[in-house]
Amino acid sequence: MSSKKSGAKPAATTVKKPTGQRHRKQARAWEAEMQLRTYRPEQLLNPADLLARFTERTRELLGELPEEQRPAGSAVSTVLRQAVLEAFRTREEYVARLVETDSTSCTTGMSALNLRRAIRTSLVDSGIRVVDSVDEREHFVVVEGEGDGFEVVRPAYLDQATGKLILSGQLRRVPRRPTQPVDGTGTQDAATKEDQS
């Protein structure tokens, strides 16, 4: 004999309506994290201070060399000054690209596709080649899947100037898709049909 009462209705489940509380909590946590990440003025790089530290350390190292092997002090200072200024110019270009990308992402009404295109354009303008074709498999690593075909999980990024790989792409193995005939009729050849059956 069953212990259930006949005709008893199941308890109604309540569906929580979105109130935005979780979204606001996540936004507050993100803002707090950004505050912790923000550089303080005393942490910012100062070219003059950086150059002074480099020069002092260089003098210490040069003092350990025999007199006949030491370069002239003015030559060392000139080279260090040029290196520091070049490093700051490079940093300024990098920061400008990041700011441009963030500014693009804040554009109101921009679709996700347009945002991706804008970021991709910025990368190409910066001299970065984005490889999202499985034909250049040497720039990818296979991370998952089974089959003899491939699909791109993440593109690969290369420096156009040097050809150096910045970030390798990721591929997923997938079953090979049937090939379409050249005539474009949409019919499959007999060998492909046999493979699928």
Side-chain angles (χ1 to χ4, degrees):
M1 187 169 180
S2 173
S3 62
K4 286 186 177 181
K5 293 181 181 177
S6 60
K9 293 182 180 178
T13 57
T14 57
V15 177
K16 289 187 177 182
K17 294 181 181 178
T19 61
Q21 182 177 1
R22 187 178 75 175
H23 178 70
R24 288 190 298 273
K25 183 178 178 182
Q26 289 173 345
R28 284 193 300 269
W30 182 79
E31 287 172 6
E33 182 183 346
M34 289 300 105
Q35 286 294 325
L36 292 175
R37 287 173 176 248
T38 302
Y39 280 118
R40 306 297 182 254
E42 65 273 8
Q43 295 173 320
L44 292 174
L45 296 174
N46 182 326
D49 291 345
L50 192 60
L51 183 58
R53 289 199 310 264
F54 282 162
T55 304
E56 181 181 333
R57 181 64 181 141
T58 303
R59 285 189 182 131
E60 291 173 9
L61 293 172
L62 290 175
E64 297 173 5
L65 289 175
E67 188 72 35
E68 63 275 2
Q69 292 181 352
R70 290 184 198 166
S74 60
V76 172
S77 295
T78 302
V79 169
L80 284 174
R81 186 176 294 109
Q82 288 173 345
V84 168
L85 291 176
E86 182 60 31
F88 273 89
R89 273 193 292 273
T90 302
R91 182 181 184 275
E92 285 174 3
E93 289 176 15
Y94 170 72
V95 168
R97 289 294 180 187
L98 287 178
V99 168
E100 188 177 299
T101 302
D102 187 67
S103 175
T104 301
S105 73
C106 293
T107 304
T108 55
M110 180 177 277
S111 70
L113 177 62
N114 287 338
L115 176 60
R116 287 189 63 208
R117 287 178 176 166
I119 292 171
R120 183 69 55 90
T121 301
S122 179
L123 287 172
V124 171
D125 290 346
S126 300
I128 297 170
R129 186 165 78 93
V130 182
V131 181
D132 51 9
S133 169
V134 296
D135 295 338
E136 298 184 61
R137 216 167 300 148
E138 67 273 13
H139 303 307
F140 292 87
V141 293
V142 179
V143 293
E144 59 187 35
E146 294 180 7
D148 54 357
F150 295 97
E151 69 179 6
V152 175
V153 176
R154 180 183 75 199
Y157 300 87
L158 284 86
D159 185 332
Q160 288 186 17
T162 64
K164 183 178 177 184
L165 186 66
I166 299 169
L167 180 66
S168 63
Q170 294 181 345
L171 293 176
R172 175 186 298 123
R173 287 186 177 279
V174 293
R176 188 176 298 275
R177 293 187 180 103
T179 57
Q180 294 294 327
V182 179
D183 64 4
T185 60
T187 57
Q188 297 174 332
D189 61 342
T192 307
K193 286 182 180 178
E194 287 176 9
D195 289 345
Q196 289 182 342
S197 58

